[in-house]
Amino acid sequence: RRQNPHALDMMPAATGDPSSATEAQAATALASAWRGHAERAHNPPGSKWGAARKFSNSGPKAVLATAKSAPKKGNPAVVGLTGFAMTTMLLQLHNLGVCNIGPVLALGIIYGGGAQLIAGFQEFQCGNNFGYSAFVSYGAFWISFGIILFLNDAGVYVSDATDIGCYLLLWGVYTGLLFIVSWRIHTAMSITFLTLMLGFFGLSIAHFVTAPWLTVLSACDLILCACCAWYMMMAALLEQVFGGPVLPLGKPWIADAVAMRLRGDKDVTMQQLFRNIVSLSAAHKT
């Protein structure tokens, strides 16, 4: 055993009686203890290799202790979603004739713009490309929209209905791209971006053809969009407070098997793909 510290690892485990598993575990534990004794004998703590072994053994423990003691990071989406929802809701109240444009300008620059930008940069730190793109982009939307309103009011230039229609049209196209990506997240996210996309296109068309009824219809659609964003914000807050999911967010519109097929994974058969689509359809009907 002194010549071969690993000899116990080659001992066959007992297989004839019910206590064979216990005997095998005991043999493994004894082998581990003997290996540690042999290493200490060949590499005393004062030697070069003994110090290296001591450092390597304590390293993972120190890293684990540091990870456990590190403070938890907050979810930047709870701020980004609220900034998006509140400014969207207030703008649609203005479109419905409930309030003037002044509060929209202030809230859009500070909360919808600044707060969403900060949330987006924090999503970048979390490695979330979707949240990073969405929050930074819509934060820039509210700041740029506020600048358009301010410069028009100051008389620097005048943006007509066609200018605003083109502006909203491009944001509708961008939102449509995010809507496609949201199919792999959950139902609440997909509904939020679907209503947002329809709202952008509706308001854009209303500026091109001067249709007040379409402005009212788009405003109602975007109020629903804001409510969906607030719902996701509450889901994130309640999940942390209660230690688990409380509000259902729904399944992704593109299931795992479909996503694997789109990626070109060869281990997914058409039968698995069909089965997954049928189960997803049945879940939506229920």
Side-chain angles (χ1 to χ4, degrees):
R1 288 179 178 174
R2 290 184 181 275
Q3 294 176 354
N4 186 5
H6 303 283
L8 289 177
D9 292 345
M10 296 181 287
M11 292 177 58
T15 57
D17 61 277
S19 62
S20 59
T22 304
E23 293 178 0
Q25 294 175 357
T28 303
L30 183 59
S32 300
W34 176 257
R35 279 197 298 270
H37 173 73
E39 289 177 0
R40 287 191 296 272
H42 291 287
N43 301 314
S47 65
K48 175 182 178 181
W49 297 109
R53 179 180 55 80
K54 181 179 180 181
F55 175 79
S56 63
N57 288 340
S58 62
K61 295 180 180 179
V63 172
L64 183 61
T66 304
K68 289 182 177 180
S69 61
K72 293 183 178 180
K73 292 184 178 181
N75 185 356
V78 298
V79 174
L81 288 171
T82 307
F84 168 81
M86 191 174 298
T87 47
T88 301
M89 180 77 72
L90 189 61
L91 178 59
Q92 304 323 306
L93 293 178
H94 166 72
N95 288 335
L96 294 175
V98 177
C99 66
N100 294 321
I101 196 63
V104 178
L105 177 62
L107 188 66
I109 293 178
I110 300 300
Y111 202 10
Q116 275 202 93
L117 281 177
I118 295 173
F121 293 139
Q122 289 178 331
E123 289 282 10
F124 172 79
Q125 296 295 329
C126 297
N128 182 3
N129 285 332
F130 184 85
Y132 175 44
S133 176
F135 288 140
V136 171
S137 297
Y138 291 122
F141 163 80
W142 282 110
I143 294 176
S144 61
F145 185 69
I147 292 175
I148 291 174
L149 296 178
F150 176 77
L151 294 181
N152 270 279
D153 187 69
V156 177
Y157 66 84
V158 177
S159 296
D160 57 14
T162 302
D163 296 335
I164 302 299
C166 293
Y167 176 79
L168 296 175
L169 178 62
L170 292 179
W171 280 105
V173 173
Y174 169 73
T175 305
L177 298 177
L178 290 187
F179 171 56
I180 296 174
V181 179
S182 71
W183 296 350
R184 275 294 293 155
I185 302 178
H186 48 65
T187 299
M189 187 71 72
S190 298
I191 294 176
T192 301
F193 279 92
L194 174 61
T195 53
L196 181 60
M197 179 186 65
L198 294 177
F200 271 127
F201 285 139
L203 291 176
S204 176
I205 296 173
H207 280 80
F208 285 132
V209 300
T210 313
W213 65 269
L214 187 54
T215 301
V216 174
L217 182 62
S218 301
C220 295
D221 169 79
L222 288 171
I223 289 175
L224 175 61
C225 173
C227 291
C228 291
W230 261 326
Y231 179 86
M232 289 190 294
M233 181 271 296
M234 282 298 298
L237 290 176
L238 292 176
E239 182 174 358
Q240 183 183 30
V241 172
F242 288 92
V246 176
L247 296 178
L249 296 173
K251 296 181 179 180
W253 288 7
I254 294 182
D256 293 337
V258 181
M260 294 172 68
R261 192 70 182 180
L262 292 175
R263 289 198 305 263
D265 293 355
K266 297 181 179 179
D267 57 340
V268 180
T269 63
M270 290 301 297
Q271 184 178 5
Q272 291 173 327
L273 181 63
F274 177 75
R275 233 182 0 249
N276 201 290
I277 294 176
V278 171
S279 63
L280 183 62
S281 301
H284 278 297
K285 290 180 180 179
T286 56

